[in-house]
């Protein structure tokens, strides 16, 4: 049974809306071997977009390798995850990819666990170390397999910002770039949930991955795409909602994709079949949305200093610039002008705020509503 609205996880088909241009562009990149980088705030639908494109290419001649490296804490954690994903996903039968990779595996004793449930994935543990393989050997493995098969492979790596947390990260990134840029049968799609770290990796001229591929900065899904989607989902559930009310939902959460889905779901669940959504239903639903996320928000502010909290107060109060002015520093107790740079950088690194045209804004619109209610 299809859920009316899905949030907090990747969505598919029935729960996927908009992104027509991004879908066309990313699909074209996959088909033409162009590397792609997706950057946006968390929960804007990067993973859903990649999944959407991958499904459209299921019957194509290319092979798509997917992996999530959120759990990788070191360079060789990443190499093990990458090699395992490539070996498991480049062929349908285990013996085939074992044959394809026999040169690579010769120095290893891989452990393969077959699940009792035939629908579950095979578990593969390689135990790659610096003593068994060089980084270049591991990174070139997918290209070797693709060349032998004469088949294009697209490697999609989620949570790629983890690479920026590795020890000697710039050296690791330089190694990845130096190898991957020479691949002709393999291309890469790199995306992650930490906008600040992804920007640091791909937008900084001094970093190895600068201009590595087609950088796609995802925008908010416009109201025009949400209207038909939300109205049709309510109708399918036996409820009615006007286009104006859909606009009000979008505006309440600043078109933040995950929150549009979540708020619409709350309103739907507060109604019965035959009901029509009214303006009076929005405020309590929004209150529930804020309450649902409160534990997460408390966790986000727990490590903040008093000055960092004060800068957040200034931003949610509508002050987006001019923090060096004495009256603003005094009003919000921001400390000295030299302290402001550290405050801003600390909050940007936590993805709590972002800078646009030299002005500061809260990244998460519902966090902003919650913070305003609790601390201003």
């Amino acid at each position: 049974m299809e859920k009316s609205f899905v949030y907090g996880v990747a969505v598919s088909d029935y729960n996927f809306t908009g992104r027509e241009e991004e879908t066309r562009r990313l699909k074209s990149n996959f088909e033409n071997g162009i590397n792609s980088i997706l950057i946006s705030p968390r929960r804007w639908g990067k993973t859903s977009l990649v999944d959407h494109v991958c499904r459209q290419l299921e019957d194509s001649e290319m092979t798509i390798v997917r992996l999530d490296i959120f759990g990788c804490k070191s360079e060789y954690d990443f190499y093990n995850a990458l090699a395992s994903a490539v070996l498991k996903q480049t062929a349908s039968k285990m013996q085939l990819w074992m044959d394809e990779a026999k040169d690579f595996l010769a120095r290893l004793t891989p452990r393969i666990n077959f699940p009792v449930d035939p629908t579950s994935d095979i578990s593969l543990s390689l135990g790659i170390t610096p003593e068994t393989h060089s980084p270049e050997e591991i990174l070139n493995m997918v290209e070797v397999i693709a060349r032998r098969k004469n088949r294009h492979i697209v490697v999609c790596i989620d949570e790629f910002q983890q690479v920026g947390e590795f020890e000697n990260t710039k050296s690791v990134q330089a190694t990845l770039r130096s190898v991957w840029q020479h691949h002709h049968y393999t291309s890469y799609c790199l995306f992650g949930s930490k906008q600040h770290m992804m920007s640091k990796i791909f937008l900084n001229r001094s970093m190895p991955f600068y201009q590595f591929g087609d950088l796609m900065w995802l925008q908010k899904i416009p109201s025009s795409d949400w209207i038909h989607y939300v109205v049709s989902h309510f109708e399918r559930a036996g409820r009615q909602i006007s286009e104006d009310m859909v606009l009000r939902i979008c505006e309440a959460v600043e078109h933040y994709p995950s929150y549009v889905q979540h708020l619409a779901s709350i309103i739907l669940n507060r109604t019965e079949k035959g009901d029509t959504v009214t303006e009076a239903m929005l405020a309590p639903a929004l209150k529930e949305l804020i309450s649902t996320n409160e534990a997460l928000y408390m966790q986000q502010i727990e490590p903040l200093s008093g000055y960092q909290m004060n800068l957040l107060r200034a931003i949610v109060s509508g002050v987006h610039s001019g923090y060096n002015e004495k009256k603003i520093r005094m009003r919000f107790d921001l400390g000295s002008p030299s302290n402001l740079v550290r405050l801003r950088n600390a909050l940007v690194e936590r993805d709590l705020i972002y800078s646009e045209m030299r002005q500061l804004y809260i990244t998460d619109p519902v966090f902003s509503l919650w913070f305003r209610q609790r601390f201003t």
Side-chain angles (χ1 to χ4, degrees):
M1 180 179 178
E2 294 173 324
K3 296 181 180 179
S4 293
F5 298 99
V6 175
Y7 50 88
V9 296
V11 301
S12 61
D13 299 331
Y14 178 65
N15 289 104
F16 187 91
T17 188
R19 303 285 189 218
E20 286 86 359
E21 174 56 27
E22 295 94 332
T23 297
R24 182 206 62 76
R25 182 172 162 188
L26 189 60
K27 182 180 178 184
S28 175
N29 287 352
F30 281 20
E31 292 172 332
N32 291 289
I34 298 172
N35 297 321
S36 305
I37 300 100
L38 308 184
I39 298 180
S40 75
R42 67 183 65 197
R43 295 188 291 185
W44 273 36
K46 295 178 291 294
T47 302
S48 297
L49 173 61
V50 173
D51 287 349
H52 184 60
V53 171
C54 290
R55 282 191 298 274
Q56 292 189 3
L57 295 171
E58 285 178 349
D59 296 327
S60 70
E61 292 300 313
M62 74 178 66
T63 297
I64 298 177
V65 173
R66 298 289 309 274
L67 70 152
D68 183 323
I69 64 168
F70 183 76
C72 297
K73 304 303 180 184
S74 69
E75 178 182 4
Y76 268 81
D77 280 352
F78 169 67
Y79 295 149
N80 273 279
L82 177 63
S84 295
V86 169
L87 293 178
K88 287 162 60 178
Q89 298 177 47
T90 50
S92 58
K93 295 181 180 179
M94 182 191 68
Q95 189 57 51
L96 180 57
W97 57 250
M98 288 288 285
D99 288 344
E100 292 291 351
K102 60 185 177 182
D103 296 336
F104 178 82
L105 293 170
R107 284 157 283 166
L108 297 172
T109 306
R111 295 194 302 273
I112 305 169
N113 296 320
F114 295 91
V116 176
D117 182 356
T119 63
S120 298
D121 201 7
I122 294 172
S123 174
L124 173 65
S125 177
L126 296 176
I128 298 168
T129 69
E131 288 70 36
T132 62
H133 294 84
S134 69
E136 289 77 11
E137 272 186 291
I138 303 162
L139 296 172
N140 275 318
M141 183 185 68
V142 63
E143 179 73 357
V144 170
I145 292 175
R147 189 183 302 115
R148 286 177 179 175
K149 291 176 176 290
N150 193 29
R151 189 179 184 91
H152 178 58
I153 296 176
V154 181
V155 180
C156 301
I157 305 179
D158 200 351
E159 304 294 358
F160 189 77
Q161 78 280 341
Q162 289 299 116
V163 172
E165 305 285 356
F166 295 166
E167 186 177 357
N168 300 320
T169 181
K170 193 169 184 179
S171 175
V172 174
Q173 291 178 46
T175 299
L176 300 183
R177 172 70 186 258
S178 66
V179 174
W180 287 351
Q181 68 184 357
H182 295 296
H183 286 179
H184 300 291
Y185 288 81
T186 311
S187 59
Y188 297 85
C189 177
L190 311 175
F191 53 108
S193 60
K194 292 187 178 180
Q195 179 180 350
H196 167 70
M197 185 61 74
M198 290 292 289
S199 298
K200 186 176 181 180
I201 292 172
F202 292 103
L203 300 181
N204 190 327
R205 291 176 179 269
S206 68
M207 297 300 285
F209 272 106
Y210 181 70
Q211 292 188 335
F212 176 67
D214 180 21
L215 195 151
M216 300 174 59
W217 195 283
L218 296 192
Q219 303 298 314
K220 295 176 181 177
I221 297 174
S223 301
S224 56
D225 288 329
W226 283 118
I227 288 174
H228 173 73
Y229 172 82
V230 175
V231 169
S232 64
H233 279 53
F234 269 79
E235 288 179 347
R236 184 166 179 172
R239 282 82 160 167
Q240 298 296 317
I241 186 170
S242 68
E243 294 185 3
D244 286 343
M245 278 306 303
V246 177
L247 291 175
R248 294 281 287 113
I249 290 172
C250 293
E251 291 166 358
V253 294
E254 299 180 12
H255 292 79
Y256 207 96
S258 180
Y259 287 139
V260 173
Q261 296 260 26
H262 196 167
L263 186 55
S265 176
I266 291 172
I267 293 174
L268 180 70
N269 291 334
R270 284 171 165 261
T271 59
E272 302 290 340
K273 283 191 174 183
D275 286 351
T276 298
V277 177
T278 65
E279 178 73 24
M281 297 176 182
L282 181 60
L286 190 57
K287 183 178 180 180
E288 181 178 333
L289 175 62
I290 294 170
S291 177
T292 299
N293 289 279
E294 184 165 29
L296 170 63
Y297 299 152
M298 289 295 293
Q299 185 180 38
Q300 289 177 319
I301 68 166
E302 185 176 1
L304 301 185
S305 69
Y307 283 130
Q308 290 168 352
M309 290 287 287
N310 290 344
L311 181 54
L312 288 177
R313 287 188 183 94
I315 298 172
V316 301
S317 297
V319 179
H320 301 292
S321 62
Y323 305 109
N324 283 322
E325 297 178 15
K326 185 176 180 179
K327 63 179 181 180
I328 293 178
R329 287 190 289 110
M330 294 290 290
R331 176 185 170 190
F332 294 101
D333 188 17
L334 298 175
S336 65
S338 61
N339 191 43
L340 285 168
V341 175
R342 291 192 295 272
L343 295 181
R344 181 198 64 199
N345 291 344
L347 295 177
V348 167
E349 287 176 4
R350 293 179 181 276
D351 275 333
L352 289 172
I353 67 173
Y354 67 96
S355 177
E356 185 175 279
M357 302 297 289
R358 299 186 177 181
Q359 295 191 322
L360 300 181
Y361 299 91
I362 302 294
T363 303
D364 185 326
V366 179
F367 172 87
S368 181
L369 293 173
W370 171 81
F371 193 92
R372 184 181 296 113
Q373 291 177 4
R374 291 290 302 269
F375 299 103
T376 61

